[in-house]
């Protein structure tokens, strides 16, 4: 019935990126035990400059 029940929400990593394969669809959490955050800018100055580098397309 619930094909995403094997995703254990990590209460320490809130996430709303439902397109990501690691996202727990029924809750706004990531299912990984840890994630890598990085930047695509040489001099990041705002939130848009940061990325979840653990993102994987569903
Ligand atoms: S890997 Fe990153 S983008 Fe994907 S669910 Fe986890 S925190 Fe969200």
């Amino acid at each position: 019935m619930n094909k995403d029940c094997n995703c254990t929400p990590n209460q320490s990593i809130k996430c709303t990126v439902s397109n990501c394969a690691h996202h727990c669809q029924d809750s706004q959490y990531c299912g990984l035990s840890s994630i890598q955050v990085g930047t695509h800018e040489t001099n990041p100055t705002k939130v848009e400059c940061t990325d979840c580098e653990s993102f994987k397309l569903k």
Side-chain angles (χ1 to χ4, degrees), residues 13 15 17 20 22-23 29-32 35 52 54-56:
I13 309 176
C15 181
V17 187
C20 179
H22 302 303
H23 186 261
Y29 290 99
C30 178
L32 296 177
I35 60 165
C52 175
S54 301
F55 172 86
K56 196 170 141 234

Side-chain angles (χ1 to χ4, degrees), residues 7-31:
C7 184
T8 305
N10 184 335
Q11 308 284 326
S12 299
I13 309 176
K14 295 185 193 176
C15 181
T16 57
V17 187
S18 55
N19 259 18
C20 179
H22 302 303
H23 186 261
C24 294
Q25 300 305 305
D26 293 339
S27 59
Q28 298 301 318
Y29 290 99
C30 178

